[in-house]
Amino acid sequence: MEKDGDAGDGGDGHRHHAVRLPLTAMEGPDSEITSNGGPSVSLRHKASSIMASSAAAYRSKPASFWALLALSGGAMLTAFPAASLLSRLYYNGGGQSKWILSWSAVAGWPIPALLLLPCYLFSDASPTWPPPPWLCFWYALLGLLSAADNLLYAWAYAYLPASTASLVAASSLAFSAVFGRLIVGKKNRISLSTVNAIVVITAGVVIIALDSGSDRYPGVTGRQYALGFALDVAGSALHGLIFALSELVFDKYLGNGGGGAAAARFHVVLEQQAAVSLSAFAFTSAGLAATDGFAAMRREAAGFAAAGGGTAGYAMVVGWSAATFQLGVLGATGVVYLGSTVLAGVLNAVRVPLTSVAAVVWFHDPMSGFKILSLVITVWGFGSYMVGGHSSEKKTARDRGSSQHRRQNQIRS
């Protein structure tokens, strides 16, 4: 996440200038001439343009920034699908409590807290302690929203196959874009490519809804399936809201100060995630105790039939669910901090095909023609967003460069 005026600052005191290719540079021996006499840029020149702009973007920030962004994105794309599959495995093995599954999602809150220790010991990072009252309020609010979000997803996975639940969850991109624009502002611009991706991915979700009878598990009624579908969409909306509010906290109260400063202050991501997860853990534990969930854990563990069965298998599923979900949320928080709400929503949509294919392979989820079509449409929507987003960013950089050139000419004159 970078300030508008710091786009060329690598955080090391040096200014990096973006490479802007003039339109006339596109004309050459490989260009085609259209019927009206204008140049048609060849694919090779388009690829060269993309590579040049990507190289310029890479040089605009220090390597530590890109390393942290890659680790954060990688955590999202691996840990979130694993957590989704473990949620389905919990129900397949005989688990029934939605509160237990949502509790396991936040039981790994000590993980970011432990990762903070080397930051404090071996770097110049200092803890934000004691946190001001307004920061405590935000942590408590995000914790409450996270607890509610986990509970919604727990209900959804109780009635939907993992592949279907992940496809429906792709709608979080639309909510991330809308909430990011409304709450954070111009850093999450909604371009034509974003609107196109939202429409296409929403169409994929509608296709899944129309084909609700093909993948319903035995014993799940039509009403339960519809409830799971609705709660999955609601959870995706809440997911996008949490992304946007997290970015607002970082941007307004814990400003990262551009690429280099963001990498140097990455410990605030761990601090926020530890505090928010601890808050969500407190809320969920209270709900679990009120529903006699701790006693239900012992009963479920005794008859658990997955991951080797028994108490050991039950502890393994719940434990790995806690670890993978926490790493996934930590990665998402890092992407929001270093990038934006929309980028986090995009990566959240990328995990859809990974989860769907893995669910078909491991759990033999039914894969109807409608579901395959929905998967293709979802991937298409993501691809169109990425290509359109690149073109929009390039146009913005070109317009900014033209504006600066005009100002320089006015000063000279």
Side-chain angles (χ1 to χ4, degrees):
M1 197 167 54
E2 55 179 286
K3 306 293 183 185
D4 288 346
D6 296 334
D9 193 342
D12 53 3
H14 298 285
R15 302 289 296 179
H16 301 275
H17 300 283
V19 177
R20 185 171 65 87
L21 299 178
L23 294 178
T24 54
M26 295 297 183
E27 300 180 19
D30 293 321
S31 297
E32 300 175 359
I33 303 300
T34 60
S35 58
N36 60 2
S40 175
V41 182
S42 67
L43 291 177
R44 194 176 81 175
H45 280 101
K46 289 182 179 179
S48 299
S49 175
I50 293 175
M51 292 177 63
S53 60
S54 300
Y58 176 80
R59 290 193 298 269
S60 68
K61 293 180 176 63
S64 58
F65 174 91
W66 296 110
L68 288 172
L69 185 60
L71 286 174
S72 299
M76 283 188 70
L77 296 180
T78 54
F80 269 150
S84 299
L85 297 176
L86 287 166
S87 298
R88 186 63 252 173
L89 184 61
Y90 166 79
Y91 288 119
N92 286 355
Q96 298 179 347
S97 174
K98 286 80 176 176
W99 278 103
I100 291 177
L101 187 59
S102 58
W103 178 85
S104 69
V106 289
W109 68 266
I111 293 177
L114 292 174
L115 293 176
L116 273 171
L117 293 178
C119 292
Y120 294 150
L121 294 176
F122 304 111
S123 71
D124 296 333
S126 57
T128 309
W129 189 263
W134 53 263
L135 193 55
C136 293
F137 164 78
W138 279 109
Y139 288 163
L141 176 61
L142 288 171
L144 177 61
L145 294 178
S146 297
D149 191 40
N150 295 334
L151 191 58
L152 289 173
Y153 278 131
W155 276 89
Y157 275 90
Y159 301 133
L160 301 178
S163 55
T164 301
S166 65
L167 284 169
V168 175
S171 59
S172 64
L173 173 57
F175 296 111
S176 297
V178 173
F179 285 128
R181 178 60 179 174
L182 293 177
I183 295 175
V184 182
K186 62 182 179 180
K187 288 186 177 180
N188 293 280
R189 291 185 295 269
I190 298 182
S191 62
L192 184 60
S193 62
T194 304
V195 175
N196 178 68
I198 291 172
V199 172
V200 170
I201 291 176
T202 302
V205 174
V206 172
I207 290 174
I208 289 292
L210 295 175
D211 190 41
S212 60
S214 68
D215 63 348
R216 195 189 316 163
Y217 282 144
V220 176
T221 65
R223 186 174 181 178
Q224 289 174 328
Y225 187 98
L227 176 62
F229 190 96
L231 293 178
D232 202 359
V233 174
S236 300
L238 194 52
H239 212 63
L241 177 61
I242 291 171
F243 282 163
L245 290 177
S246 296
E247 186 178 5
L248 178 66
V249 173
F250 287 134
D251 189 39
K252 190 173 183 180
Y253 302 111
L254 301 170
N256 56 33
R265 287 178 49 80
F266 192 76
H267 68 280
V268 300
V269 173
L270 298 171
E271 288 180 342
Q272 173 165 309
Q273 188 53 40
V276 170
S277 293
L278 178 58
S279 176
F281 180 76
F283 285 120
T284 309
S285 296
L288 188 64
T291 57
D292 199 29
F294 290 104
M297 280 187 182
R298 292 190 292 269
R299 294 193 298 269
E300 287 185 350
F304 199 65
T311 302
Y314 187 82
M316 183 180 298
V317 170
V318 173
W320 277 110
S321 179
T324 54
F325 194 89
Q326 194 62 218
L327 290 176
V329 174
L330 180 58
T333 307
V335 170
V336 168
Y337 177 71
L338 297 169
S340 66
T341 296
V342 173
L343 178 59
V346 168
L347 291 179
N348 209 39
V350 174
R351 70 185 176 99
V352 168
L354 301 177
T355 307
S356 300
V357 172
V360 171
V361 173
W362 289 344
F363 297 139
H364 306 291
D365 278 3
M367 199 66 175
S368 66
F370 281 102
K371 189 181 291 187
I372 294 175
L373 178 61
S374 177
L375 179 61
V376 172
I377 286 177
T378 300
V379 175
W380 178 268
F382 165 71
S384 66
Y385 171 83
M386 294 301 293
V387 174
H390 166 75
S391 300
S392 177
E393 289 177 2
K394 190 165 62 173
K395 181 180 182 299
T396 301
R398 186 169 62 244
D399 292 343
R400 187 183 298 118
S402 299
S403 177
Q404 292 175 350
H405 182 68
R406 284 195 300 270
R407 285 198 299 268
Q408 291 174 355
N409 289 336
Q410 290 174 356
I411 293 173
R412 293 192 189 100
S413 61

